[in-house]
Coordinates of all heavy atoms in Angstrom, one line a residue:
M1 N 0.8 -1.1 0.0 CA 0.0 0.0 0.0 C 0.9 1.2 0.0 O 1.8 1.3 0.8 CB -0.8 0.0 1.2 CG -2.3 -0.3 0.9 SD -3.3 -0.1 2.4 CE -3.2 -1.6 3.2
T2 N 0.5 2.2 -0.8 CA 1.3 3.4 -0.9 C 0.6 4.5 0.0 O -0.6 4.6 0.0 CB 1.2 3.9 -2.4 OG1 1.8 3.0 -3.2 CG2 2.0 5.2 -2.5
T3 N 1.4 5.2 0.7 CA 0.9 6.4 1.4 C 1.4 7.7 0.8 O 2.6 7.8 0.5 CB 1.5 6.3 2.9 OG1 1.0 5.2 3.5 CG2 1.0 7.5 3.7
I4 N 0.5 8.6 0.5 CA 0.8 9.9 -0.2 C 0.5 11.0 0.8 O -0.6 10.9 1.3 CB 0.1 10.0 -1.5 CG1 0.5 8.8 -2.4 CG2 0.5 11.3 -2.2 CD1 -0.4 8.8 -3.6
I5 N 1.3 11.9 1.0 CA 0.9 13.2 1.8 C 0.9 14.3 0.8 O 1.9 14.5 0.1 CB 1.8 13.3 3.0 CG1 1.2 14.5 3.8 CG2 3.3 13.6 2.5 CD1 1.9 14.5 5.2
Y6 N -0.1 15.1 0.8 CA -0.3 16.3 0.1 C -0.2 17.5 1.0 O -0.9 17.4 2.0 CB -1.6 16.3 -0.7 CG -1.8 15.3 -1.7 CD1 -2.4 14.0 -1.2 CD2 -1.4 15.4 -3.0 CE1 -2.6 12.9 -2.1 CE2 -1.7 14.3 -3.9 CZ -2.2 13.2 -3.5 OH -2.4 12.1 -4.3
G7 N 0.7 18.5 0.6 CA 0.7 19.6 1.5 C 1.4 20.7 0.8 O 1.4 20.8 -0.4
I8 N 2.0 21.6 1.6 CA 2.7 22.7 1.1 C 4.1 22.6 1.4 O 4.6 22.2 2.5 CB 2.1 24.0 1.7 CG1 0.7 24.3 1.2 CG2 2.9 25.3 1.4 CD1 0.0 25.5 1.8
K9 N 4.9 22.8 0.3 CA 6.4 22.7 0.4 C 7.0 23.7 1.3 O 6.6 24.8 1.4 CB 7.0 22.8 -1.0 CG 6.6 21.7 -2.0 CD 7.2 22.1 -3.3 CE 6.7 21.1 -4.3 NZ 7.3 21.3 -5.6
N10 N 8.0 23.4 2.1 CA 8.8 24.2 2.9 C 8.1 25.2 3.8 O 8.2 26.4 3.7 CB 9.7 25.1 2.0 CG 10.5 24.3 0.9 OD1 11.1 23.2 1.4 ND2 10.7 24.7 -0.3
C11 N 7.2 24.5 4.6 CA 6.3 25.3 5.5 C 6.5 24.8 6.9 O 6.7 23.6 7.0 CB 4.9 25.3 5.0 SG 3.8 26.1 6.0
D12 N 6.2 25.6 7.9 CA 6.3 25.1 9.3 C 5.3 24.0 9.4 O 5.6 23.0 10.1 CB 6.0 26.2 10.2 CG 7.2 27.2 10.2 OD1 8.3 26.9 9.9 OD2 6.8 28.4 10.6
T13 N 4.1 24.1 8.9 CA 3.2 23.0 8.8 C 2.9 22.5 7.4 O 1.8 22.2 7.1 CB 1.9 23.3 9.6 OG1 1.6 24.6 9.3 CG2 2.0 22.9 11.0
M14 N 3.8 22.6 6.6 CA 4.0 22.1 5.2 C 4.1 23.1 4.3 O 3.8 24.0 3.9 CB 3.1 21.1 4.9 CG 3.7 19.8 5.4 SD 3.7 18.7 4.2 CE 2.4 17.7 4.7
K15 N 4.4 26.9 3.0 CA 4.6 28.2 2.7 C 4.1 28.3 1.3 O 3.3 29.2 1.2 CB 6.0 28.4 2.9 CG 6.5 29.8 3.1 CD 7.8 29.6 3.6 CE 8.7 30.3 4.3 NZ 9.9 30.1 4.5
K16 N 4.6 27.5 0.4 CA 4.1 27.7 -1.0 C 3.1 26.7 -1.3 O 3.2 25.5 -1.0 CB 5.3 27.5 -2.0 CG 6.0 28.8 -2.2 CD 6.8 28.7 -3.4 CE 7.3 30.1 -3.7 NZ 8.3 30.0 -4.8
A17 N 2.0 27.2 -1.9 CA 1.0 26.2 -2.2 C 1.3 25.3 -3.3 O 1.9 25.7 -4.3 CB -0.3 27.0 -2.6
A18 N 1.0 24.0 -3.1 CA 1.2 22.9 -4.2 C -0.2 22.7 -4.8 O -1.1 22.6 -4.0 CB 1.7 21.7 -3.5
G19 N -0.3 22.8 -6.0 CA -1.5 22.7 -6.8 C -2.1 21.3 -6.6 O -1.4 20.3 -6.2
I20 N -3.3 21.1 -6.9 CA -4.0 19.9 -6.8 C -5.0 19.8 -8.0 O -5.6 20.8 -8.4 CB -4.9 19.8 -5.5 CG1 -5.5 18.4 -5.3 CG2 -5.9 20.8 -5.4 CD1 -4.6 17.4 -4.9
A21 N -5.1 18.6 -8.6 CA -5.9 18.3 -9.7 C -7.4 18.5 -9.3 O -7.8 18.1 -8.2 CB -5.7 17.0 -10.4
K22 N -8.2 19.0 -10.2 CA -9.6 19.2 -9.9 C -10.3 17.9 -9.5 O -11.1 17.9 -8.6 CB -10.3 19.9 -11.1 CG -11.8 20.2 -10.9 CD -12.3 20.9 -12.1 CE -13.8 21.2 -11.9 NZ -14.4 21.9 -13.1
D23 N -10.1 16.9 -10.3 CA -10.7 15.6 -10.0 C -10.3 15.1 -8.6 O -11.2 14.5 -7.9 CB -10.3 14.6 -11.1 CG -10.9 14.9 -12.4 OD1 -11.8 15.7 -12.5 OD2 -10.4 14.2 -13.5
K24 N -9.1 15.3 -8.2 CA -8.6 14.8 -6.9 C -9.3 15.5 -5.8 O -9.8 15.0 -4.8 CB -7.1 14.9 -6.8 CG -6.5 14.4 -5.5 CD -6.7 13.0 -5.2 CE -5.8 12.1 -6.0 NZ -6.0 10.7 -5.7
L25 N -9.4 16.9 -6.0 CA -10.1 17.8 -5.0 C -11.5 17.4 -4.9 O -12.1 17.3 -3.8 CB -9.9 19.3 -5.3 CG -10.4 20.1 -4.3 CD1 -9.6 20.0 -2.9 CD2 -10.2 21.6 -4.7
K26 N -12.2 17.1 -6.0 CA -13.5 16.7 -6.0 C -13.8 15.4 -5.3 O -14.7 15.2 -4.5 CB -14.1 16.6 -7.4 CG -15.5 16.2 -7.6 CD -16.5 17.3 -7.1 CE -17.9 16.8 -7.5 NZ -18.9 17.4 -6.7
Q27 N -12.9 14.5 -5.5 CA -12.9 13.1 -4.8 C -12.8 13.3 -3.3 O -13.5 12.7 -2.6 CB -11.8 12.2 -5.4 CG -11.6 11.0 -4.7 CD -10.3 10.2 -5.1 OE1 -9.7 10.6 -6.0 NE2 -10.0 9.2 -4.4
W28 N -11.8 14.1 -2.9 CA -11.6 14.4 -1.5 C -13.0 15.0 -0.9 O -13.4 14.6 0.2 CB -10.5 15.4 -1.2 CG -9.2 14.8 -1.5 CD1 -8.8 13.5 -1.8 CD2 -7.9 15.5 -1.5 NE1 -7.5 13.4 -2.0 CE2 -7.0 14.6 -1.8 CE3 -7.6 16.9 -1.2 CZ2 -5.6 15.0 -1.9 CZ3 -6.3 17.2 -1.4 CH2 -5.3 16.3 -1.6
S29 N -13.5 16.0 -1.6 CA -14.7 16.6 -1.2 C -15.9 15.6 -1.0 O -16.7 15.7 0.0 CB -15.2 17.7 -2.2 OG -16.4 18.3 -1.8
E30 N -16.0 14.7 -2.0 CA -17.1 13.7 -1.9 C -16.9 12.7 -0.7 O -17.8 12.4 -0.1 CB -17.1 12.9 -3.2 CG -17.7 13.7 -4.3 CD -17.5 13.0 -5.7 OE1 -17.0 11.9 -5.8 OE2 -17.9 13.7 -6.7
E31 N -15.6 12.5 -0.4 CA -15.3 11.6 0.7 C -15.4 12.3 2.1 O -15.9 11.7 3.0 CB -13.9 11.0 0.5 CG -13.6 10.0 1.6 CD -12.3 9.3 1.4 OE1 -11.8 9.2 0.2 OE2 -11.6 8.8 2.3
L32 N -14.9 13.5 2.2 CA -14.8 14.2 3.5 C -15.8 15.3 3.7 O -16.0 15.7 4.9 CB -13.4 14.7 3.6 CG -12.2 13.7 3.6 CD1 -10.9 14.5 3.5 CD2 -12.3 12.8 4.9
G33 N -16.2 15.9 2.6 CA -17.0 17.1 2.7 C -16.1 18.3 2.4 O -15.1 18.3 3.0
W34 N -16.7 19.3 1.7 CA -15.9 20.5 1.3 C -15.6 21.3 2.6 O -14.6 22.0 2.7 CB -16.5 21.3 0.3 CG -17.9 21.9 0.6 CD1 -19.1 21.3 0.3 CD2 -18.1 23.1 1.3 NE1 -20.1 22.2 0.8 CE2 -19.5 23.3 1.4 CE3 -17.2 24.1 1.8 CZ2 -20.0 24.5 2.0 CZ3 -17.8 25.3 2.4 CH2 -19.2 25.4 2.4
E35 N -16.5 21.2 3.5 CA -16.3 22.0 4.8 C -15.1 21.5 5.5 O -14.4 22.3 6.2 CB -17.6 21.9 5.7 CG -18.8 22.4 5.1 CD -19.7 21.3 4.4 OE1 -19.1 20.2 3.9 OE2 -20.8 21.5 4.2
T36 N -14.8 20.3 5.5 CA -13.6 19.7 6.1 C -12.3 20.1 5.4 O -11.3 20.4 6.1 CB -13.6 18.1 6.1 OG1 -14.8 17.8 6.9 CG2 -12.4 17.5 6.8
L37 N -12.4 20.2 4.2 CA -11.2 20.6 3.3 C -10.9 22.1 3.3 O -9.7 22.5 3.2 CB -11.4 20.2 1.8 CG -11.4 18.7 1.6 CD1 -11.8 18.4 0.2 CD2 -10.0 18.1 1.9
L38 N -11.8 22.9 3.5 CA -11.7 24.4 3.4 C -11.0 24.9 4.7 O -11.6 24.8 5.7 CB -13.0 25.1 3.1 CG -12.9 26.6 2.9 CD1 -12.1 27.0 1.6 CD2 -14.3 27.2 2.8
N39 N -9.9 25.6 4.5 CA -9.1 26.1 5.6 C -9.7 27.6 5.8 O -9.1 28.6 5.3 CB -7.6 26.2 5.3 CG -6.8 26.7 6.4 OD1 -7.3 26.9 7.5 ND2 -5.5 27.0 6.1
R40 N -10.6 27.7 6.7 CA -11.2 29.1 6.9 C -10.3 29.8 7.9 O -10.5 31.0 8.0 CB -12.6 28.8 7.6 CG -13.6 28.3 6.7 CD -14.9 28.0 7.4 NE -15.9 27.2 6.5 CZ -16.9 27.8 5.9 NH1 -17.1 29.1 6.1 NH2 -17.7 27.1 5.2
A41 N -9.4 29.2 8.6 CA -8.5 29.8 9.6 C -7.3 30.5 8.9 O -6.6 31.3 9.5 CB -8.1 28.8 10.6
G42 N -7.0 30.1 7.7 CA -5.8 30.6 7.0 C -5.9 32.2 6.5 O -7.1 32.6 6.3
T43 N -4.8 32.8 6.4 CA -4.9 34.2 5.9 C -5.5 34.4 4.6 O -6.1 35.3 4.3 CB -3.5 34.8 6.0 OG1 -2.6 34.0 5.2 CG2 -3.0 34.9 7.4
T44 N -5.3 33.4 3.7 CA -5.8 33.5 2.3 C -7.3 33.7 2.4 O -8.0 34.5 1.7 CB -5.4 32.4 1.4 OG1 -3.9 32.3 1.4 CG2 -5.8 32.6 0.0
F45 N -8.0 32.8 3.2 CA -9.4 32.8 3.2 C -9.9 34.0 4.0 O -10.9 34.7 3.6 CB -9.9 31.5 4.0 CG -11.4 31.5 4.1 CD1 -12.1 31.0 3.0 CD2 -12.1 31.9 5.1 CE1 -13.6 31.0 3.1 CE2 -13.5 31.9 5.3 CZ -14.2 31.4 4.2
R46 N -9.2 34.4 5.1 CA -9.7 35.5 5.9 C -9.6 36.8 5.1 O -10.3 37.8 5.3 CB -8.8 35.6 7.2 CG -9.2 34.5 8.1 CD -8.6 34.7 9.5 NE -7.3 35.3 9.5 CZ -6.1 34.7 9.9 NH1 -6.1 33.5 10.3 NH2 -5.0 35.4 9.9
K47 N -8.7 36.9 4.1 CA -8.5 38.1 3.3 C -9.5 38.3 2.2 O -9.6 39.2 1.6 CB -7.1 38.2 2.7 CG -6.0 38.5 3.7 CD -4.6 38.5 3.1 CE -3.5 38.8 4.1 NZ -2.2 38.9 3.5
L48 N -10.3 37.2 1.9 CA -11.3 37.2 0.9 C -12.4 38.3 1.3 O -12.7 38.5 2.4 CB -12.0 35.9 0.7 CG -11.3 34.8 0.2 CD1 -12.2 33.5 0.2 CD2 -11.0 35.1 -1.3
P49 N -12.9 38.9 0.2 CA -14.0 39.9 0.5 C -15.2 39.1 1.1 O -15.4 37.9 0.9 CB -14.5 40.4 -0.9 CG -13.3 40.0 -1.8 CD -12.6 38.9 -1.2
D50 N -15.9 39.7 2.0 CA -17.1 39.1 2.7 C -18.0 38.4 1.7 O -18.5 37.4 2.0 CB -17.8 40.1 3.6 CG -17.0 40.4 4.8 OD1 -16.1 39.6 5.2 OD2 -17.3 41.4 5.5
A51 N -18.2 39.1 0.5 CA -19.1 38.5 -0.5 C -18.8 37.1 -0.9 O -19.5 36.4 -1.2 CB -19.3 39.5 -1.6
D52 N -17.3 36.9 -1.0 CA -16.9 35.6 -1.4 C -17.0 34.5 -0.4 O -17.0 33.3 -0.6 CB -15.5 35.7 -1.9 CG -15.2 36.5 -3.1 OD1 -16.2 36.6 -3.9 OD2 -14.1 36.8 -3.5
K53 N -17.0 35.0 0.9 CA -17.1 34.0 2.1 C -18.6 33.6 2.3 O -18.8 32.6 2.9 CB -16.6 34.7 3.3 CG -15.1 35.0 3.2 CD -14.7 35.6 4.5 CE -13.3 36.3 4.4 NZ -12.9 37.0 5.7
E54 N -19.5 34.5 2.0 CA -20.9 34.2 2.3 C -21.6 33.3 1.3 O -21.2 33.3 0.1 CB -21.7 35.6 2.4 CG -21.2 36.5 3.5 CD -21.8 37.9 3.4 OE1 -22.7 38.1 2.6 OE2 -21.4 38.7 4.2
G55 N -22.4 32.5 1.8 CA -23.2 31.6 0.9 C -22.4 30.5 0.3 O -22.7 30.2 -0.8
L56 N -21.3 30.1 0.9 CA -20.5 29.1 0.3 C -21.2 27.8 0.1 O -22.0 27.4 0.9 CB -19.2 28.9 1.1 CG -18.1 29.9 0.9 CD1 -16.9 29.5 1.8 CD2 -17.5 29.9 -0.5
N57 N -20.9 27.2 -1.0 CA -21.4 25.8 -1.3 C -20.3 25.0 -1.8 O -19.2 25.6 -2.1 CB -22.7 25.8 -2.3 CG -22.3 26.5 -3.6 OD1 -21.2 26.5 -4.1 ND2 -23.4 27.0 -4.2
E58 N -20.5 23.8 -2.2 CA -19.3 22.9 -2.6 C -18.7 23.5 -3.9 O -17.5 23.6 -3.9 CB -19.8 21.5 -2.9 CG -18.7 20.6 -3.3 CD -19.1 19.2 -3.7 OE1 -20.2 19.0 -4.1 OE2 -18.3 18.3 -3.5
K59 N -19.5 23.9 -4.8 CA -19.0 24.3 -6.1 C -18.2 25.6 -5.9 O -17.0 25.6 -6.5 CB -20.1 24.7 -7.0 CG -19.7 25.1 -8.5 CD -20.9 25.3 -9.4 CE -20.4 25.7 -10.8 NZ -21.5 25.9 -11.7
R60 N -18.6 26.5 -5.2 CA -17.8 27.8 -4.9 C -16.5 27.5 -4.1 O -15.5 28.1 -4.4 CB -18.7 28.8 -4.3 CG -19.8 29.4 -5.3 CD -20.6 30.5 -4.7 NE -19.8 31.7 -4.2 CZ -20.0 32.3 -3.2 NH1 -21.0 32.1 -2.4 NH2 -19.2 33.3 -2.8
A61 N -16.7 26.6 -3.1 CA -15.5 26.3 -2.2 C -14.5 25.6 -3.0 O -13.3 26.0 -2.9 CB -16.0 25.5 -1.0
L62 N -14.8 24.6 -3.9 CA -13.8 23.9 -4.6 C -13.2 24.9 -5.7 O -11.9 24.8 -5.9 CB -14.5 22.8 -5.4 CG -15.0 21.6 -4.6 CD1 -15.6 20.5 -5.4 CD2 -13.9 21.0 -3.7
A63 N -13.9 25.8 -6.3 CA -13.3 26.8 -7.2 C -12.3 27.7 -6.4 O -11.2 28.0 -6.9 CB -14.5 27.7 -7.7
L64 N -12.6 28.1 -5.1 CA -11.7 28.8 -4.4 C -10.4 28.1 -4.1 O -9.3 28.6 -4.2 CB -12.4 29.3 -3.0 CG -13.4 30.4 -3.1 CD1 -14.1 30.6 -1.7 CD2 -12.7 31.8 -3.5
M65 N -10.6 26.8 -3.7 CA -9.5 26.0 -3.3 C -8.6 25.7 -4.6 O -7.4 25.6 -4.5 CB -9.9 24.7 -2.6 CG -10.4 24.9 -1.3 SD -10.9 23.4 -0.4 CE -12.5 23.2 -0.9
L66 N -9.2 25.5 -5.7 CA -8.5 25.3 -6.9 C -7.6 26.5 -7.3 O -6.5 26.5 -7.7 CB -9.4 24.8 -8.1 CG -9.9 23.5 -8.0 CD1 -10.9 23.2 -9.1 CD2 -8.7 22.5 -8.2
A67 N -8.3 27.7 -7.2 CA -7.6 28.9 -7.5 C -6.5 29.4 -6.5 O -5.5 29.9 -6.9 CB -8.6 30.1 -7.5
Q68 N -6.7 29.0 -5.2 CA -5.8 29.3 -4.1 C -5.6 28.1 -3.3 O -6.2 27.8 -2.3 CB -6.4 30.5 -3.3 CG -6.5 31.8 -4.0 CD -5.2 32.4 -4.2 OE1 -4.2 32.2 -3.6 NE2 -5.1 33.1 -5.3
P69 N -4.7 27.1 -3.7 CA -4.5 25.9 -2.9 C -4.2 26.1 -1.5 O -4.4 25.1 -0.7 CB -3.4 25.2 -3.7 CG -3.5 25.8 -5.1 CD -3.9 27.2 -4.9
S70 N -3.8 27.2 -1.1 CA -3.4 27.5 0.3 C -4.8 27.5 1.2 O -4.7 27.5 2.4 CB -2.6 28.7 0.6 OG -3.4 29.9 0.1
M71 N -5.9 27.5 0.5 CA -7.2 27.5 1.2 C -7.6 26.0 1.5 O -8.6 25.7 2.2 CB -8.3 28.1 0.4 CG -8.3 29.6 0.4 SD -9.7 30.4 -0.2 CE -9.1 31.5 -1.3
I72 N -6.8 25.1 1.1 CA -7.0 23.7 1.4 C -6.4 23.4 2.8 O -5.2 23.6 3.0 CB -6.4 22.7 0.4 CG1 -7.0 22.9 -1.0 CG2 -6.6 21.3 0.8 CD1 -6.3 22.2 -2.1
K73 N -7.2 22.9 3.7 CA -6.7 22.5 5.0 C -5.6 21.5 4.8 O -5.7 20.5 4.0 CB -7.8 22.0 5.9 CG -7.3 21.8 7.3 CD -8.5 21.4 8.3 CE -9.6 22.5 8.4 NZ -10.7 22.1 9.2
R74 N -4.5 21.6 5.5 CA -3.4 20.6 5.3 C -2.7 20.2 6.6 O -3.0 20.9 7.6 CB -2.4 21.2 4.4 CG -1.9 22.6 4.8 CD -1.4 23.4 3.6 NE -1.0 24.7 4.0 CZ -1.7 25.7 4.1 NH1 -3.0 25.7 3.9 NH2 -1.3 26.9 4.6
P75 N -1.9 19.3 6.5 CA -1.7 18.4 5.4 C -2.9 17.5 5.2 O -3.7 17.2 6.0 CB -0.5 17.5 5.8 CG -0.5 17.5 7.3 CD -1.2 18.8 7.7
V76 N -2.9 16.9 3.9 CA -3.8 15.9 3.5 C -3.0 14.6 3.4 O -2.0 14.6 2.6 CB -4.6 16.2 2.2 CG1 -5.5 15.0 1.8 CG2 -5.4 17.4 2.3
L77 N -3.3 13.6 4.1 CA -2.6 12.3 4.1 C -3.5 11.3 3.5 O -4.6 11.0 4.1 CB -2.2 11.9 5.5 CG -1.4 10.7 5.7 CD1 -0.1 10.8 4.9 CD2 -1.1 10.4 7.1
D78 N -3.0 10.7 2.4 CA -3.9 9.7 1.7 C -3.2 8.3 2.1 O -2.1 8.1 1.7 CB -3.8 9.9 0.1 CG -4.7 9.0 -0.6 OD1 -4.9 7.9 -0.1 OD2 -5.0 9.2 -1.7
L79 N -4.0 7.6 2.9 CA -3.4 6.3 3.3 C -3.9 5.1 2.4 O -3.9 4.0 2.7 CB -3.9 6.0 4.7 CG -3.4 7.1 5.8 CD1 -4.1 6.8 7.1 CD2 -1.9 6.9 5.9
G80 N -4.3 5.5 1.2 CA -4.7 4.5 0.2 C -6.0 3.8 0.7 O -6.1 2.7 1.0
G81 N -7.0 4.7 0.6 CA -8.4 4.2 1.1 C -8.9 5.0 2.2 O -10.0 4.9 2.5
K82 N -8.1 5.7 2.9 CA -8.5 6.7 4.0 C -7.7 7.9 3.9 O -6.5 8.0 3.8 CB -8.2 5.9 5.3 CG -8.7 6.7 6.5 CD -8.5 5.9 7.8 CE -9.2 6.7 8.9 NZ -9.1 5.8 10.2
L83 N -8.5 9.0 4.1 CA -7.9 10.4 4.1 C -7.9 10.9 5.5 O -8.9 10.8 6.2 CB -8.7 11.3 3.2 CG -8.7 11.0 1.7 CD1 -9.7 11.9 0.9 CD2 -7.2 11.2 1.1
L84 N -6.8 11.6 5.8 CA -6.7 12.4 7.1 C -6.4 13.8 6.6 O -5.6 14.1 5.8 CB -5.6 11.9 7.9 CG -5.7 10.5 8.5 CD1 -4.5 10.1 9.3 CD2 -6.9 10.2 9.2
V85 N -7.1 14.8 7.3 CA -6.9 16.2 6.9 C -6.6 17.0 8.2 O -7.3 16.8 9.2 CB -8.2 16.8 6.3 CG1 -8.1 18.3 6.0 CG2 -8.6 16.1 5.0
G86 N -5.6 17.7 8.1 CA -5.0 18.4 9.3 C -4.1 17.5 10.1 O -4.3 16.4 10.1
F87 N -3.2 18.2 10.8 CA -2.2 17.3 11.6 C -2.7 17.2 13.0 O -2.8 18.2 13.7 CB -0.8 17.9 11.5 CG 0.1 17.1 12.3 CD1 0.4 15.8 11.8 CD2 0.7 17.5 13.4 CE1 1.4 15.0 12.5 CE2 1.6 16.8 14.2 CZ 1.9 15.5 13.7
Q88 N -3.0 16.0 13.4 CA -3.3 15.7 14.7 C -2.5 14.5 15.2 O -2.7 13.3 14.8 CB -4.8 15.3 14.9 CG -5.8 16.5 14.5 CD -7.2 16.0 14.5 OE1 -7.6 14.9 14.5 NE2 -8.0 17.1 14.6
P89 N -1.4 14.8 16.0 CA -0.4 13.7 16.3 C -1.0 12.5 16.7 O -0.6 11.3 16.4 CB 0.4 14.4 17.4 CG 0.3 15.8 17.2 CD -1.1 16.0 16.7
E90 N -2.1 12.5 17.6 CA -2.6 11.2 18.2 C -3.3 10.4 17.1 O -3.2 9.2 17.1 CB -3.6 11.6 19.3 CG -4.8 12.3 18.9 CD -4.6 13.9 18.7 OE1 -3.5 14.4 19.0 OE2 -5.6 14.5 18.4
I91 N -3.9 11.0 16.1 CA -4.5 10.3 15.0 C -3.5 9.7 14.1 O -3.6 8.6 13.7 CB -5.5 11.2 14.3 CG1 -6.7 11.5 15.2 CG2 -6.0 10.5 13.0 CD1 -7.7 12.5 14.6
Y92 N -2.4 10.5 13.8 CA -1.3 10.0 13.0 C -0.7 8.8 13.6 O -0.4 7.7 13.0 CB -0.3 11.0 12.7 CG -0.6 11.9 11.5 CD1 -1.8 12.5 11.2 CD2 0.4 12.2 10.6 CE1 -2.1 13.3 10.1 CE2 0.2 13.1 9.5 CZ -1.1 13.6 9.3 OH -1.3 14.4 8.2
A93 N -0.4 8.9 15.0 CA 0.2 7.8 15.7 C -0.7 6.5 15.7 O -0.3 5.4 15.4 CB 0.5 8.2 17.1
R94 N -2.0 6.7 15.9 CA -2.9 5.6 15.8 C -3.0 4.9 14.5 O -3.0 3.7 14.4 CB -4.4 6.0 16.2 CG -5.3 4.9 16.4 CD -6.7 5.3 16.8 NE -7.2 6.1 15.8 CZ -7.8 7.3 16.0 NH1 -7.8 7.9 17.2 NH2 -8.4 8.1 15.0
E95 N -3.0 5.7 13.4 CA -3.1 5.2 12.1 C -1.8 4.5 11.7 O -1.8 3.4 11.1 CB -3.4 6.2 11.1 CG -4.7 6.8 11.1 CD -5.8 5.7 10.8 OE1 -5.6 4.8 9.9 OE2 -6.9 5.7 11.5
A96 N -0.6 5.1 12.1 CA 0.7 4.4 11.9 C 0.8 3.1 12.6 O 1.2 2.1 12.0 CB 1.8 5.4 12.3
K97 N 0.3 3.0 13.8 CA 0.3 1.8 14.5 C -0.6 0.8 13.9 O -0.2 -0.4 13.8 CB -0.1 2.1 16.0 CG 0.0 0.8 16.9 CD -0.4 1.2 18.2 CE -0.3 -0.1 19.1 NZ -0.6 0.3 20.5
S98 N -1.8 1.2 13.5 CA -2.8 0.4 12.8 C -2.2 -0.2 11.5 O -2.3 -1.4 11.2 CB -4.0 1.1 12.6 OG -4.9 0.3 11.8
R99 N -1.6 0.6 10.8 CA -1.0 0.2 9.5 C 0.2 -0.7 9.7 O 0.4 -1.7 9.0 CB -0.6 1.4 8.6 CG -1.8 2.2 8.2 CD -1.5 3.5 7.3 NE -0.8 3.1 6.2 CZ -1.4 2.8 5.0 NH1 -2.7 2.5 5.0 NH2 -0.7 2.6 3.9
G100 N 1.0 -0.4 10.8 CA 2.1 -1.3 11.1 C 1.7 -2.7 11.5 O 2.3 -3.6 11.1
S101 N 0.6 -2.8 12.3 CA 0.2 -4.1 12.7 C -0.4 -4.8 11.5 O -0.4 -6.1 11.5 CB -0.9 -4.0 13.8 OG -2.0 -3.3 13.4
K102 N -1.0 -4.1 10.6 CA -1.5 -4.8 9.4 C -0.4 -5.4 8.5 O -0.5 -6.5 8.0 CB -2.4 -3.9 8.5 CG -3.7 -3.5 9.1 CD -4.5 -2.5 8.3 CE -5.7 -2.2 9.0 NZ -6.4 -1.1 8.3
S103 N 0.7 -4.6 8.4 CA 1.9 -5.1 7.7 C 2.5 -6.3 8.3 O 2.9 -7.2 7.6 CB 2.9 -4.0 7.5 OG 2.3 -2.8 6.8
S104 N 2.6 -6.3 9.6 CA 3.3 -7.3 10.3 C 2.5 -8.6 10.4 O 2.9 -9.7 10.3 CB 3.8 -6.9 11.7 OG 2.7 -6.5 12.5
S105 N 1.2 -8.4 10.4 CA 0.4 -9.6 10.4 C 0.2 -10.3 9.0 O -0.2 -11.4 8.8 CB -1.1 -9.2 10.9 OG -1.7 -8.3 10.0
A106 N 0.6 -9.5 7.9 CA 0.5 -10.0 6.6 C 1.8 -10.9 6.2 O 1.8 -11.5 5.3 CB 0.3 -8.9 5.6
R107 N 2.8 -10.8 7.1 CA 4.1 -11.5 6.8 C 4.0 -12.9 7.1 O 3.3 -13.6 7.7 CB 5.1 -10.9 7.7 CG 5.5 -9.5 7.2 CD 6.6 -9.0 8.1 NE 6.8 -7.6 7.7 CZ 7.6 -6.8 8.5 NH1 8.2 -7.2 9.5 NH2 7.7 -5.5 8.0

């Protein structure tokens, strides 16, 4: 199983936005919900005009995230069938342990 992490290069919590394919972002939205993916706490979102923030729906939120990838909450960790959004050490540790036990039991 391949593990892929999507984030921002050279950042304290992963600074420059890395782009994401529209289809991949849509897939994440369908799995997690656009509300989970949208980083409302980031400066890029907070600097938006109020009119752009009001009445958000999936289509508008995805368009914002595609135009400004820094609006995607990060990191996004793709565990090959399971997505984690945002860094929570306890969840990462639990998933790593779970994946480790699956690997060792398959030997």
